[in-house]
Amino acid sequence: MKNAFKYISGMALLAAAAASCDVSDTRETYTPDTDGVSFVQSVITATALSPDVTTYSVDLARGRADNELTVNLTCSIYNSSDTGQSENLADVFGVPSSVTFAPGEYQTEITFNVGQMEVGESFSGTIAIAEGQECFDPNTAISSVSISLAKDYSWINLGQGQWFDQFMLMSATSANIQSVEVRKADGYGIYRVYNVFPENVINETWEGDMVPANSSSVPEYIQFTIDEAGAVSWGNTTFNTSSGTVSAVSTGYNYATYGGFYYFPPSALDLDGDSQNLLIENGTLVQICWTPYCPDEGIWWGSTSLAYLALPDFQGDLGAYLGL
């Protein structure tokens, strides 16, 4: 088990509720084996649409195509910020109230508008075959589809940066500073840094006590935002705590027997350090201050930890700058 400055100093008293997860229960693509109508998927996650996309389509299939068939639909779509779901935006998206199969046509599309969506906004909802129709078997068909929609930014590759993570990567003998790809959202102060939790380095540093939760759990990148004052905010998941909802970083790793390993904002564990998330060195170095935490068991390390991202235009060696 890794030692150095990484020993468990106590149990956190913070009562963290279950994280809100981005989980899709997606069935395999379905083809009706009877005369009935069915959606071909039960879940569609289209959260990386190009900013210039104006329409999006959902497929509806049937098993027999002798005649023309009109299928009535119902729809509800809500802005993710509308937590009370007070305004159904189906009309704004122009989702049709019905769709028609032509004779001989086994599959058709339900097409609606997404041109009005702004980059950074997200929407979710359901399109369903209306009740009271005999064109589908509710026991076998996929009678509704859950959809998640968002337009992604246009990403510019800034080049290679230098990444130092005091907690996850640094060992007793090496700082393990990594060369990482850095991208920026065109026109926005939003950045992505890739492969910040490399499995080979973490396995060696932690001597096998940090293990990926599954084959796809380790995030490809972490994303952060820098505002006009140089303050940095980050997170790829959220948790509901006794003091409210907080953004956190899921590393995708499990620590020993204590479950998932996360970085929490210092304030979520009653520590100082939130204000130390800053852009420094004339805009070339990102300083991150976060708190290592295993919320499943309430395990933490009693202090904050630092990470640094030297952007591609940083002059010099990050290790030398940090005195490592």
Side-chain angles (χ1 to χ4, degrees):
M1 184 176 294
K2 187 177 181 187
N3 44 35
F5 54 83
K6 299 178 183 178
Y7 59 92
I8 299 175
S9 61
M11 294 276 191
L13 298 179
L14 175 70
S20 58
C21 301
D22 181 15
V23 177
S24 296
D25 179 19
T26 308
R27 303 188 210 179
E28 294 181 1
T29 300
Y30 173 87
T31 302
D33 55 7
T34 65
D35 295 346
V37 173
S38 174
F39 288 98
V40 300
Q41 290 174 282
S42 60
V43 176
I44 294 176
T45 302
T47 53
L49 296 173
S50 172
D52 56 1
V53 170
T54 59
T55 60
Y56 191 78
S57 298
V58 174
D59 293 329
L60 194 66
R62 62 174 175 168
R64 185 173 180 177
D66 296 347
N67 303 307
E68 180 179 280
L69 175 65
T70 296
V71 181
N72 296 322
L73 305 169
T74 62
C75 178
S76 59
I77 299 179
Y78 300 96
N79 192 305
S80 297
S81 64
D82 181 9
T83 55
Q85 296 189 342
S86 59
E87 184 180 7
N88 185 353
L89 302 175
D91 289 342
V92 175
F93 280 82
V95 181
S97 59
S98 65
V99 66
T100 299
F101 292 89
E105 188 176 47
Y106 285 90
Q107 186 164 305
T108 191
E109 294 180 337
I110 303 166
T111 301
F112 50 93
N113 302 320
V114 295
Q116 77 284 358
M117 289 171 51
E118 297 290 336
V119 172
E121 286 186 314
S122 60
F123 301 84
S124 61
T126 303
I127 300 177
I129 299 171
E131 295 182 0
Q133 297 180 94
E134 298 180 357
C135 62
F136 75 99
D137 182 350
N139 296 314
T140 60
I142 303 174
S143 58
S144 66
V145 57
S146 297
I147 54 175
S148 297
L149 301 168
K151 287 191 173 181
D152 201 0
Y153 301 90
S154 296
W155 293 96
I156 301 170
N157 190 337
L158 300 181
Q160 294 299 115
Q162 302 171 68
W163 172 253
F164 168 74
D165 184 337
Q166 178 190 29
F167 194 85
M168 283 289 278
L169 302 184
M170 184 178 179
S171 71
T173 59
S174 174
N176 283 324
I177 293 174
Q178 303 295 302
S179 177
V180 291
E181 180 180 317
V182 183
R183 300 181 188 177
K184 181 181 183 297
D186 189 15
Y188 299 87
I190 303 172
Y191 296 77
R192 286 177 176 174
V193 52
Y194 287 76
N195 196 27
V196 297
F197 303 125
E199 186 174 349
N200 61 325
V201 177
I202 290 175
N203 182 63
E204 181 178 349
T205 298
W206 287 87
E207 300 174 359
D209 281 324
M210 281 283 186
V211 180
N214 58 60
S215 61
S216 60
S217 61
V218 179
E220 179 186 8
Y221 58 84
I222 59 172
Q223 184 168 304
F224 58 93
T225 300
I226 304 174
D227 68 17
E228 294 181 355
V232 177
S233 57
W234 39 261
N236 59 15
T237 190
T238 58
F239 277 78
N240 295 321
T241 72
S242 58
S243 58
T245 302
V246 299
S247 294
V249 169
S250 170
T251 67
Y253 286 84
N254 288 340
Y255 171 60
T257 61
Y258 302 114
F261 179 80
Y262 295 79
Y263 281 126
F264 265 48
S267 59
L269 293 163
D270 296 325
L271 296 173
D272 295 329
D274 287 15
S275 62
Q276 298 306 307
N277 288 276
L278 295 170
L279 183 65
I280 58 177
E281 293 299 320
N282 297 317
T284 64
L285 186 64
V286 179
Q287 176 180 275
I288 295 174
C289 182
W290 45 24
T291 305
Y293 189 49
C294 294
D296 292 347
E297 297 292 335
I299 296 294
W300 66 309
W301 280 257
S303 62
T304 58
S305 181
L306 292 173
Y308 288 92
L309 172 65
L311 296 170
D313 54 355
F314 177 83
Q315 298 298 312
D317 178 76
L318 179 59
Y321 173 86
L322 297 173
L324 300 172

